[in-house]
Amino acid sequence: MERVQKNSAYLNAMSTTGTRTRVRDVNPQSGMCPICVSDCPFICEIALSTFRANEALYPETRYFGESTASSLKDYGLDWSHFNLLARLRGAEGIAPDPDVAIFPNVNVESKIGKTKVKFPLAMGAFGSTDVARRYWDGLAVGAALAGCILIIGENVCGVDPKSEFKNGRVVRSPEMERRVKKFKEFWDGKYGDIVVQVNVEDTRFGVYEYAVSKLEVDTVEIKWGQGAKAIGGEIRVRDLQRAIELKKRGYVVLPDPENPTVQQAFKDGIIDGFERHSRVGMPTEKSLVEFVEEIRDLGAKSVTLKTGAYRPADVA
Ligand code: SF4
């Protein structure tokens, strides 16, 4: 903890990448030791990047599928800077009566768009990552019982090894089916909702059509981006044949699993897996309106939009 700095210095020594600096009084911008020595016994982020190049962009890969992540960046403002202050005279949302305005009568029912929720929360989106697949039951049952919105993220059909395609469109995905069914099993049908998100690849596969027509999903979320980065979702694949299959389905897979040199490097253990990237949409006003109309025509009750950290000129 003591090593995490408020300035950019933390970027050169992070637990997320298993990196450390030789000394503690590092440069506030680069995080480098003021004297960087040739016989340094430590691996800092800069040193790691020189050996492993863009692999150093990722958290320690051995935890993929077994972890979730938060950020080390200090924005200078956090929840501890806020105090919630209640009213003394009068009340909102309940009668101003000491016998009525009691703790067990608290009601936080609300509406998100057209969807009634017992608690104003939309959770997501949990896509094709191993961690989402492994812990899906807990998420689905919890969200359904709590009356919240749960969003199935991108690429679930595209990554499902048992998916069936016809003319490039998905006609069956046992994993997508399982996720929708588990939520509906515990859902009262009144509060909360199960939403299916679609990115560029999902749109090409017709995932929205499959979800609305075959799985009776009411809400589709169009994905424009992610909160943390203006690139598409990523997963790590540790099986060569699977990496090749995903490339053939149309995903960007790095390094190229069909390249013989890469295949040999994988067999020799020089690389321990492949990155599967998905694309970022480049919508226009016209294409968005037409897409929303197409989804509604299939029978979806709501269409939502997930955007990323884009400039206000594009999304405001
Ligand atoms: S390589 Fe240089 S900057 Fe990195 S930890 Fe070692 S001495 Fe410090």
Side-chain angles (χ1 to χ4, degrees):
M1 287 298 289
E2 59 180 323
R3 297 182 69 93
V4 177
Q5 316 268 358
K6 282 187 183 294
N7 49 41
S8 298
Y10 74 92
L11 290 166
N12 198 28
M14 295 186 286
S15 60
T16 47
T17 50
T19 49
R20 280 286 174 270
T21 47
R22 184 175 61 84
V23 297
R24 290 172 56 188
D25 56 337
V26 294
N27 179 301
Q29 279 84 40
S30 67
M32 275 182 76
C33 305
I35 302 174
C36 177
V37 298
S38 62
D39 60 349
C40 171
F42 289 84
I43 295 278
C44 62
E45 183 84 13
I46 294 169
L48 182 67
S49 308
T50 62
F51 289 117
R52 303 300 297 187
N54 55 345
E55 272 180 46
L57 288 170
Y58 297 90
E60 288 188 85
T61 55
R62 70 194 154 118
Y63 290 121
F64 265 85
E66 302 287 350
S67 61
T68 187
S70 64
S71 166
L72 285 167
K73 183 171 175 176
D74 186 343
Y75 289 87
L77 187 68
D78 65 63
W79 296 111
S80 72
H81 296 114
F82 294 91
N83 272 350
L84 293 178
L85 298 176
R87 298 285 308 271
L88 172 63
R89 292 176 295 119
E92 284 170 36
I94 200 160
D97 176 343
D99 289 324
V100 178
I102 54 176
F103 178 69
N105 287 345
V106 168
N107 181 355
V108 288
E109 246 184 69
S110 185
K111 254 183 155 187
I112 300 179
K114 291 179 189 163
T115 309
K116 283 204 291 180
V117 283
K118 279 189 204 157
F119 184 77
L121 183 68
M123 291 192 290
F126 304 96
S128 57
T129 59
D130 275 347
V131 71
R133 181 178 54 77
R134 284 196 183 121
Y135 296 98
W136 182 257
D137 286 6
L139 288 165
V141 175
L145 292 178
C148 300
I149 295 173
L150 179 62
I151 302 142
I152 300 173
E154 61 192 350
N155 300 318
V156 171
C157 298
V159 166
D160 182 355
K162 294 186 179 146
S163 281
E164 294 166 24
F165 296 87
K166 201 173 173 187
N167 301 325
R169 311 282 279 184
V170 67
V171 291
R172 187 167 170 263
S173 160
E175 177 60 16
M176 179 64 90
E177 210 174 298
R178 175 183 81 90
R179 294 198 190 194
V180 173
K181 274 188 179 162
K182 185 52 79 178
F183 179 87
K184 288 194 173 180
E185 199 183 321
F186 290 84
W187 184 41
D188 66 3
K190 295 182 204 146
Y191 292 93
D193 199 6
I194 184 80
V195 178
V196 170
Q197 184 186 83
V198 291
N199 67 357
V200 174
E201 285 83 358
D202 295 316
T203 305
R204 290 178 184 169
F205 294 144
V207 169
Y208 56 99
E209 191 175 350
Y210 170 64
V212 175
S213 311
K214 295 230 175 104
L215 304 179
E216 297 180 352
V217 166
D218 290 331
T219 306
V220 172
E221 178 173 280
I222 300 170
K223 180 170 182 179
W224 275 359
Q226 318 205 100
K229 53 189 172 18
I231 59 174
E234 304 160 61
I235 59 167
R236 202 151 186 97
V237 181
R238 299 189 196 280
D239 181 276
L240 179 60
Q241 289 314 316
R242 200 145 152 57
I244 293 172
E245 186 191 4
L246 290 174
K247 187 188 167 192
K248 286 190 172 146
R249 284 186 181 180
Y251 285 108
V252 177
V253 181
L254 299 174
D256 183 358
E258 290 184 306
N259 180 326
T261 310
V262 171
Q263 292 183 353
Q264 195 54 50
F266 180 71
K267 282 172 192 153
D268 293 343
I270 295 167
I271 53 169
D272 70 350
F274 300 86
E275 300 157 19
R276 187 242 54 203
H277 295 260
S278 39
R279 296 168 175 82
V280 183
M282 300 281 165
T284 62
E285 193 175 332
K286 184 170 178 289
S287 70
L288 174 67
V289 170
E290 285 172 0
F291 190 31
V292 171
E293 278 170 3
E294 186 187 344
I295 297 169
R296 281 195 181 136
D297 287 345
L298 289 166
K301 293 182 185 148
S302 298
V303 182
T304 61
L305 186 63
K306 179 185 182 183
T307 184
Y310 296 122
R311 294 176 190 179
D314 292 322
V315 291

